[in-house]
Structure formats: C-alpha cells, structure tokens
Amino acid sequence: MRWPIIYTILRKELLETLRDKRTLFTMFGVPILLYPLLILVMGQVTILQQTKVEKRISRVAIAEDAAPTLRSWLEGMEKIELVSLTDPNNQLLSGQIDAAVLGPEKDSELLKETMSVDIRITYDLAEEDSRAALERLREGLQKERENLLKERLDKLKLPMEFVRPIRIWQVNVAPPKKLTGSVLGMILPMVMIIMLGTGAFYPAVDVTAGEKERGTFETLLSAPIGKAEIVCGKFVTVLALCLITGLLSLASMVLSLLFQFSQMAKAAGENLNMDIGMIQISPWTLVILFLTMVPLAFFICAMMMSIAILARDFKEAQSFVTPFYILILLPGMIAVVPGVKLTTATMFLPIANVALLFKDLLTGTAGVEEVFAVLLSTAVYAMLSLVIAVRLFEVEDVILSQERGLPLTLRRSLFPKGGTVSPGMALALFGAALLLMFYAGAYVQLRHLLFGLLISQWLLIAAPPVAALWYTRMDLRREMRLRRPSLRSVIAALLMAAGLWVLIMQLTWWQKRWLPESEAFIREMNKLFQWGQTPGGLALLILAVGFSPAVCEELLFRGAILSGLRNRFSPWVAILISGLLFGLMHQNVYMLLHTTLLGFALGFLALRSRSIVPPMIFHGVINTTTVLLATGNAPPSFLTMMEQWTEAARFPIWLLLLATAVCIVAVRLLQRQDKMETA
Amino acid sequence: MIAAEHLTKIFNAGTAKQLCAVDDASFRVAPGEIFGLLGPNGAGKTTLLRMLGAILTPTSGVCAVEGIRTDENPEQARRQIGFLSGNTRLYKRLRAREVLRYFGRLYGMQEGKIEQRIATLAAMLEAEAVLERRCDALSTGETQKVSIARALLHEPQVLILDEPTLGLDIMTSRTILDFIRNAKERGHTIIFSTHTMTEAELLCDRIGLIHKGRILADGTKQQIYELTGTKNLQEAFLAMVEGGMRL
C-alpha cells in the first residue's frame, strides 16, 4: 500500500466530486441551508400558530336558560365570548362555536351544598381553537370549583387540608445534563445516522458506479496501482465527505435549534427553563462522540461503496443503496425504544451500539468499558466492510461487467426457453414469499391455524416459484432438481435427519438458557400441538407441519433459490446464503439459529445428491419426528426417556457422540457420490 | 516484446453462465512490429488485450511484457504498457491537464517530468489548446488526443490499443493511424485490435484472426492469403471460419 498513490487518488476524487453540483448540494446545501430553513420555518409557523390561538377569543355556546351563576362565571372568564346554544354538535362541526357548556338550569341546583352537579363541555378534539377553548373553560371552572369548596369548608369551619389528606410531591433528582441528554439521546443518534448516510450516499455512488458509467475504470486499472490502493483512495474520499457533511449538519442543526429555542422563549415572554443539551455536554464527551462517529461513518461508507460497485450505473446504484440507507435507520431507532440499554448483547449490534452509546454519553452514564467495546466492535465491522469493498473491487466481473439488466418485456413468448434462475430472481422469490407469509400467511393462520398453515405452504410458498419458473419458460425439472435420487443419497438423508435432530434439539436447549422462549411462543406451539390429541387431528397436523413444508419449502429454497444462487456463486456461498434466507423465512427469533443450521444441511444435501427428494425426506423426517414427540405419539418408554432428557435439558454424551457419528457417516456417503453439483 | 502462452480466460467459471472468452491463445510481438488482432464483435479481442495489459487475470496460461510476467508482477508490467481503448473515457469534471497530471502521478513520475511530457505530447498531437479545457467540453477527436497523450505519458515501450478508431470520424481516425505508424518507427511494440479489415491490411506486419475466443491464424497477410486462397482479409476470415482452417 503506497500512501502517495492513495493521496493522489484522494485529491483527484475530491476535486472531481467537489465539481459535481449534486454532491455539493447534498454536502453543503442541505445542512447549511435546508436544515436551518426547515427548523426555522417549522418553528416560526408553530410560534405564529400558538400566538394566533392564544389571542383568539373562544366562542362558547351556552343555553339561554342556563343557571345565571354559571353564565356569570363564563362571562367572567378571559377571552370567552358567549353565544346561544342550539344544537352543540352541529354548531361545533360547522365551526360556528369552539365549545359548548351544558349545565343545570337553576342556581339552586348548581349551588346546592349536598350534591355534585355535572357541567359538560362539548368540544372538537381535531380543532386547535376548540382545544384552546376547552383549556380556558376547564381552568376557569376549576377556579370556581375551588372557590365553592372553600366557601363550604369555611361554613363548616374546616381547613382546606380536610379534603386533601395527602399531598403528593414529585421530586426529580435527574441532573439537567441527564435530563436533556436523555431527550437529545433519542434524537441525536437518528439525526447522526441520517446525516452520515446522506453525506456518504452520493460520493459512494459517484466514485464507484459513477466511474463505471463514465467508462473510466478500465483506464484507471491500466495504471500501475493496486486495487486495494484504488479502494482506499476512493474510500478516504467518501469518508472525508461523509464526515464533513455529518459535522456540518450537526453544527447547523444545533445552532438552528438554539436559535429556535431562544425565539420560542422570547415568544412565550418568559424563560422556558429549557436546558440545551449541547451546552451541558463536556468537551471530552464531544470528543468521544466524534470518535464514535468516525468508525460509524467508516462502516456506512464502506458498505455503501460495496453495494454501489455492484451496480452498472449511477441510477442503478441509487436504487441499490437506498434500501441499505433505510435499513441502517432501523438499528438507530433502537435507541429511541424506552428501556433498551447498552448491554453485552446490544454492545455488539452494529449501528444500534453506537446509537445507544450516544445516548449513554449524553446522559453521562457511559462507562469506559462500554466506550471501548463499542468503539472496538464498530471498528471491526468497519474493517470487515472495507475488506468486502476491496474484495469486490478484485472481482473482475464486478468492475468490468456489462451484463444486461431486467427484461424489457414480460411477455412469456419472449423469454428464452430453458433459461436459468438468476440470483436476483432468487432473492425476488424469497422477498415475495416473505411478504406473502407476513401479510396473507399471518391472516389465514389467524382465521384457522392448521388450514391456514396448509394454504400458506402450498399457495404462498410453493406456488409462486413454480409459477414464476413456468412463466419464464425455465426448465422446471432442472432448476427445481426434480430428479430421482440415488439410494445412497436417500439413506444419507435419513441418517443425517436422525443425527441432526438430536444435535439440533440439544442446541435448542442450550439456546433456551440465554434466550428463554416467550410465553406467547410456547402458547402458540401448545395450541398447534393440541391437534395431535385425536387421530384425525394428528393426521392433519402431520400433513400441515410434517409433509407440506417438506415439499413446499424445499421447492422454494432448495429448488429455485439455491439454483439462482448456485448459478452465480460457489457451492458453499450458495449453501450459506440459502440457509440464512431459510432461517429468516421462519420470522421467529427462537427458531432462527436452528432453522438456519438446518438450511445449511439441506443445501448441502441438495447439491451433493443433485436432487430435491433427499432434502424433502430430511425435512419431512425432522418435522414429523418433532410433531410426534410433542404430541406424545411415540412409544411410552421412549417418551419417558425424552421427558428426562428434556427436564435436564441435555442428552447423554453417548447419544450426542452417536448422533455426530451418524452425521459424519451421512456426509461420507454423500461425498462418495459424484462431485458437488456445478450448475 | 509481448509474449502470450496458452492464454485462456473463462468468465463465470463453474456456473450456468460460464463463457470461454479466450481459448488457448499463443503469439509473440517483437519490438518495432505491429500485430493486428482482427475479429468480429464478441470474438474475445478486448478480453485478450485486457489480459496482456494486466487488467484481467488469465484463467490459465501466461503472458509477459518486456520480459515481465503479468501474473507475477502486474504493476511492473503495466509500467511498460500504454493502454488505449476506443471506449476510453476521460474524467469529465477535470481539465485535460489535470487528467494527465493525475496519471503521471499514478505512474510515479516527478512533477517536473510530468509537465515536460505534457508539453511534448501536446505539441506532438497539436493539442496545446485543449489542455486547459474541461474534458466534458472536448470533441471526440480532442478526447482521443488526450487519451493518446495519457497512454504515452510515461513513455511506455509497449502499446496495447483496443479498437482505437472506434466511432471516430475519418480525420480523427487518420490522426490515430498516423500515431500508430510513428510509434512503430520509434521502435514500440504494438498490438492493436480492430474489426475493420482495411485498417488491419494497411498497418499490420502480422495479423491474428480471432473468432469465438480462438486465434485461427497468426501470420503475415501473404501467409494468410496463400493458405486461404483469397485476396483480402475479409474473404480470408470467412474462409477460415467456414472451412474450419487453422494456421
């Protein structure tokens, strides 16, 4: 790595980027002009509106024959104008009045000492003026109530304390720093992530996909420089621009807010007694905030560059990077969720950890260990993402690719016959299945659990990929691996299912120690397995949970998705990604780990056996065994043993060793087949 | 000197999209010689030249430029090469002089030397007026002149030119062809690709006919005409493709 080369690239990229109007606007225009303008305009409009509402006279309707005292009370209130009451609802909704007061007709009723009377204020919650009228009336009437109460107590010669035996005082011990910090801690992390994302977005796209679009990559690659040097030069540019935007945005926003608060205080005619958090933050905290921002910016920049380089042009890169930009806001939102704190688990969650550390630093509760752990883990993620960017630059197909994009037409006859599933299509099929399951699947399962499961499997999971492959005239048999399996691979599938079932059960027990299942999850499972009480119910349960997922999920995951991934990536990468997607598909945190691991095994089985049938057998055996045991449909002696093992949350060591040995035998059996499927 | 031994490039290896772009190509180009790579679009010319230019890594086989193997020392090999493609674009937001300075620095040249070379090349290419203009304001011909200056800036011994006249008008094409002739006279080793038969006939000392990644013929025009019994390269090319001949 030669620094003069990196510096040369940095200088050129900066010069080029700073001559781009789009980037200039995003970098300087947005933070310097737009944010203050937005805050100021919004603030001014709010102040204006508040002042207008405060000055406005509330029109309050009261019945002509209302008790004279009530009328005199209302007449004595400030900024209240009385009008005649006809139909309160209509008068309110048509905007003729702001509120209506309904009370007793006679003073004798109103002032009777031994009873309470009802005074009803009708108002329109959706109208600002109406809410202001309600507030004025409530305050005025409360004052009159106090007066009446005092009169009555005086007559009885009782003190006010007689009706207030307990006085409640709220004492807040939070120092102003903590108080303002907790408010700012909610806003600032999100603001920072948005600012850093905005700052990195255009430069990341411009130096990668932009250069590709402009056709200058080949020239650059013909120079005697390393790809890592190119990536570093470009990366430092993006990082610098991202941090400049981030700092400018932060400074601009803080200054605008300070100005806004002072304006609000002036408008309210008093000191708002508001501590501006930034004033309370020590310079040391600011330094740590900035230090935390650097690895975060590092991570965001490298990830955005890695994604943008996959695109063919600027426009495509924008559509690739935008979802990532939205995605990074999600962990940022964690800091806003009440009760979420920086713990051992959240400390290593990318982006979320920085957001939480920001919060702790602002409230002054962050410890040295926390700062260190977050900085370290974020730096590790940042380095990993930079390594990914370098690796992608080293892939010649990515840098110099000119592959065609989406088909221009969707007419079936124009699709080439016997085409292959692309990785993009595989991901689209996964996305479609995930969304369908999330919305339609949840709905049908809510209506009827078992039939809902059946419908979900066949209509939402299996039908879309089959239909998509048929419509695009692909070879269903080849892409779905609909081939007769060898006897050896069927035996291997059975052995692997038996061995892995034991190991996965053990893993689930271990998992429960640090991630106990929620009551809702257990309730849901019990509800499902209750069907196994009757023979008919059990058959239906096995059909819905044992057989259908084995067929339908395999068609999607080890059929279409694995083929799509395999058509681009190496076997192991395809197995890894398809397994992860399989785990995610279950949309359940308690099932994520073991379903992902099973996904890896199923992918391996599919590619080794070159057929979808062994994964189907494996999947069916695992699910059906679970159903039979959970419903108590197994030999009593075995059930008793299982109960003991479940109680202890561990299998005997000999069984674990045996299961491992069985798995190894299954893998060896598969390895003795032909080589791993190549396409 | 350029030497290619059994060069093969397979894209998307092991997947359904596997494509053998260059298949077992071997040839040598001596100093002061122009070797023309002739073939239709998609024949594998660009991939082959990119491998020689150490931009792409061969799947198998080796190539050496001035005795430096591109797989062992790609950066050192690139220092010997001036790479120019018809598709070469310049950084639109930079001025021509800034582009040349940038590449001079990437090649590790001293600032004084860079300015001196820019002046020399601008005079040679009659492009002095272009230097201070932004690249997005240059005509196609002016862009190509700046690209030539960029490729020659570091005084390379070997020139790899990938369809350098692609999309150019007659006048600009002539400037490029003159430049190639002059470079040959100065003793440069030149390999250039084209799908224009007349260009190849006019310039090349030796011609390689390439089709579907394979070099069908490597010889002088006369050798190719004699083998195929034809009188021009176009007929020779068709005869070789249709008759399955190899030279």
Side-chain angles (χ1 to χ4, degrees), chain A residues 19 211 214 218 396 678, chain B residues 9 14 50 57 89 93:
Chain A
R19 282 185 187 164
E211 174 132 25
R214 293 190 290 273
E218 191 185 40
E396 293 159 348
T678 52
Chain B
K9 180 70 187 178
R50 281 177 175 173
T57 317
R89 302 279 179 273
R93 292 176 223 143

Side-chain angles (χ1 to χ4, degrees), chain A residues 101-412:
Chain A
V101 176
L102 298 165
E105 290 176 1
K106 291 174 187 158
D107 272 356
S108 55
E109 276 177 60
L110 181 70
L111 304 171
K112 201 170 179 181
E113 286 186 6
T114 52
M115 64 179 283
S116 286
V117 285
D118 292 336
I119 296 175
R120 200 181 301 270
I121 304 169
T122 313
Y123 74 108
D124 182 348
L125 183 64
E127 289 294 330
E128 181 106 39
D129 288 341
S130 189
R131 290 201 299 271
L134 169 76
E135 206 49 47
R136 283 172 188 163
L137 287 170
R138 199 156 52 185
E139 260 178 41
L141 289 172
Q142 264 170 3
K143 213 182 275 170
E144 296 302 337
R145 187 173 61 184
E146 291 284 306
N147 290 341
L148 274 182
L149 184 65
K150 195 164 185 313
E151 264 175 43
R152 289 178 188 182
L153 289 171
D154 284 348
K155 270 187 196 167
L156 296 168
K157 293 192 175 130
L158 289 170
M160 272 300 263
E161 283 71 25
F162 181 77
V163 288
R164 282 179 198 148
I166 297 171
R167 284 193 296 181
I168 299 166
W169 295 91
Q170 296 174 16
V171 184
N172 173 30
V173 295
K177 180 184 175 183
K178 194 174 175 185
L179 209 60
T180 47
S182 75
V183 177
L184 276 177
M186 298 252 187
I187 312 163
L188 210 57
M190 281 301 284
V191 172
M192 282 320 303
I193 293 165
I194 293 171
M195 305 293 176
L196 292 178
T198 312
F201 197 110
Y202 277 102
V205 171
D206 192 57
V207 301
T208 50
E211 174 132 25
K212 233 185 211 186
E213 186 178 276
R214 293 190 290 273
T216 45
F217 250 132
E218 191 185 40
T219 322
L220 186 60
L221 293 174
S222 70
I225 48 175
K227 283 178 183 142
E229 288 165 342
I230 298 177
V231 176
C232 283
K234 285 176 178 290
F235 172 74
V236 178
T237 313
V238 179
L239 185 67
L241 295 171
C242 167
L243 285 173
I244 291 171
T245 314
L247 284 177
L248 270 178
S249 305
L250 189 67
S252 148
M253 188 160 269
V254 167
L255 288 174
S256 311
L257 280 173
L258 283 175
F259 177 74
Q260 192 54 38
F261 286 153
S262 68
Q263 289 291 303
M264 279 166 73
K266 244 188 245 168
E270 59 186 28
N271 186 351
L272 280 181
N273 196 21
M274 191 180 284
D275 288 311
I276 310 301
M278 292 312 290
I279 297 170
Q280 304 268 330
I281 298 169
S282 71
W284 178 235
T285 312
L286 272 177
V287 170
I288 298 181
L289 276 182
F290 180 72
L291 280 179
T292 324
M293 211 165 86
V294 175
L296 181 66
F298 207 108
F299 174 68
I300 293 174
C301 291
M303 283 306 291
M304 281 191 172
M305 269 179 69
S306 303
I307 296 168
I309 192 64
L310 295 170
R312 285 162 301 170
D313 52 38
F314 204 96
K315 226 172 175 179
E316 196 175 73
Q318 278 179 303
S319 46
F320 281 7
V321 178
T322 305
F324 172 73
Y325 186 21
I326 297 168
L327 209 67
I328 56 172
L329 296 179
L330 295 179
M333 283 176 196
I334 286 182
V336 185
V337 178
V340 180
K341 292 197 166 161
L342 207 53
T343 59
T344 321
T346 51
M347 218 174 265
F348 299 98
L349 213 61
I351 299 175
N353 57 0
V354 177
L356 290 166
L357 181 66
F358 260 58
K359 202 162 131 180
D360 283 3
L361 282 171
L362 289 166
T363 51
T365 53
V368 180
E369 296 91 354
E370 285 174 330
V371 174
F372 182 73
V374 172
L375 281 179
L376 188 74
S377 63
T378 310
V380 169
Y381 294 133
M383 283 312 293
L384 278 176
S385 44
L386 191 63
V387 168
I388 293 173
V390 174
R391 291 304 295 259
L392 280 172
F393 265 73
E394 281 169 354
V395 179
E396 293 159 348
D397 294 1
V398 170
I399 298 291
L400 300 167
S401 104
Q402 285 170 339
E403 270 186 20
R404 66 190 178 92
L406 291 168
L408 292 172
T409 172
L410 289 175
R411 200 189 299 167
R412 184 167 189 255

